[in-house]
Amino acid sequence: MTPETICLLLADVVKMISVVLGSLAFNGLVTPAPTRAAVSMSAISPGDIGTTRPLGVFDPLKLMEKNPGKYRRFQEMEIKHGRIAMLATLHVFITGAGYKWPGYCSYLSFPPLKFEDIPAGTLASWAALPQAGWAQIVAVVAILDNSLFAQDPNREPGDVAGDLPWVRYDDPKVKEYKLNIERNNGRAAMMGIIGMMTHEYLTGNPLYPLSYEPVV
């Protein structure tokens, strides 16, 4: 190919590029019309109680997009379960340190069962209690949950037994801070008590790998 031929080809290429650029400058780039993405509405909003860092709004299963009407119910359940889990976690530490109620826990067993005879921990204490005792516990909790501690729909989630002298906070920032602390501590306690039960089942020590010698 001679130099003259190469120059002619380059000239033709330049002309074609000029024509294309000129048409684009006149008509503009033709792009598909943007489609509006489906907007997923969630009942949870940033800044709600429980949407703390680092996770913020954490709903990987999109439950609050599928059933936003159940958001309040889920809040009430989370708070209630978190409080129960905090008490259960505290039970492991207190009974493990040797602090137990005086007197008898059950007269239905033979011989009668004293509180001091119930082992510390999670599964061991559950196995030592007679079935009739568990039935009484379940019945009392159900009665309290539907009477004294029943959730008033006109109050905020978790605000139960409003007539009792609970600590109240007038400062909105302090109140939000305290409620977030309770929510996060409840979540940690739920994970903690599950871990304690698992460790006790596998190793006999609810605080594994920490050494744990309950005081009898």
Side-chain angles (χ1 to χ4, degrees):
M1 182 178 292
T2 62
E4 291 79 3
T5 305
I6 296 176
C7 291
L8 291 174
L9 291 174
L10 290 175
D12 292 337
V13 171
V14 171
K15 289 180 180 179
M16 293 176 62
I17 295 174
S18 300
V19 172
V20 172
L21 291 177
S23 63
L24 291 176
F26 180 76
N27 296 319
L29 289 172
V30 180
T31 57
T35 59
R36 179 175 295 180
V39 179
S40 57
M41 301 300 292
S42 176
I44 310 176
S45 301
D48 288 353
I49 300 298
T51 58
T52 56
R53 293 180 295 180
L55 297 178
V57 178
F58 184 71
D59 185 19
L61 299 179
K62 307 298 182 183
L63 296 177
M64 292 300 93
E65 295 179 10
K66 301 173 184 177
N67 300 299
K70 294 184 178 181
Y71 181 41
R72 178 182 172 87
R73 175 59 178 166
F74 286 162
Q75 285 180 302
E76 296 173 1
M77 293 171 61
E78 181 187 30
I79 295 171
K80 185 182 301 181
H81 292 164
R83 291 169 177 172
I84 294 174
M86 285 188 280
L87 290 174
T89 304
L90 193 62
H91 151 82
V92 176
F93 299 129
I94 292 179
T95 57
Y99 297 100
K100 299 179 181 180
W101 295 106
Y104 288 89
C105 174
S106 173
Y107 289 99
L108 299 178
S109 57
F110 183 80
L113 182 65
K114 294 182 178 181
F115 282 103
E116 62 184 20
D117 296 332
I118 300 178
T122 58
L123 302 180
S125 60
W126 172 80
L129 194 65
Q131 293 183 355
W134 278 111
Q136 295 175 23
I137 292 175
V138 172
V140 171
V141 171
I143 293 173
L144 291 176
D145 190 39
N146 288 277
S147 57
L148 180 62
F149 294 104
Q151 176 67 58
D152 187 347
N154 297 321
R155 294 180 178 268
E156 296 180 3
D159 188 358
V160 297
D163 296 333
L164 295 180
W166 302 121
V167 176
R168 301 287 179 177
Y169 301 96
D170 297 327
D171 189 338
K173 293 184 178 180
V174 175
K175 181 179 180 180
E176 179 183 2
Y177 177 71
K178 296 292 185 179
L179 291 176
N180 279 322
I181 288 178
E182 182 196 28
R183 196 74 65 92
N184 287 332
N185 287 347
R187 292 166 179 169
M190 285 187 279
M191 298 298 295
I193 194 62
I194 291 175
M196 291 179 181
M197 295 171 68
T198 304
H199 290 159
E200 184 172 350
Y201 177 77
L202 295 175
T203 68
N205 178 7
L207 300 182
Y208 178 85
L210 301 177
S211 60
Y212 179 75
E213 296 180 1
V215 178
V216 179

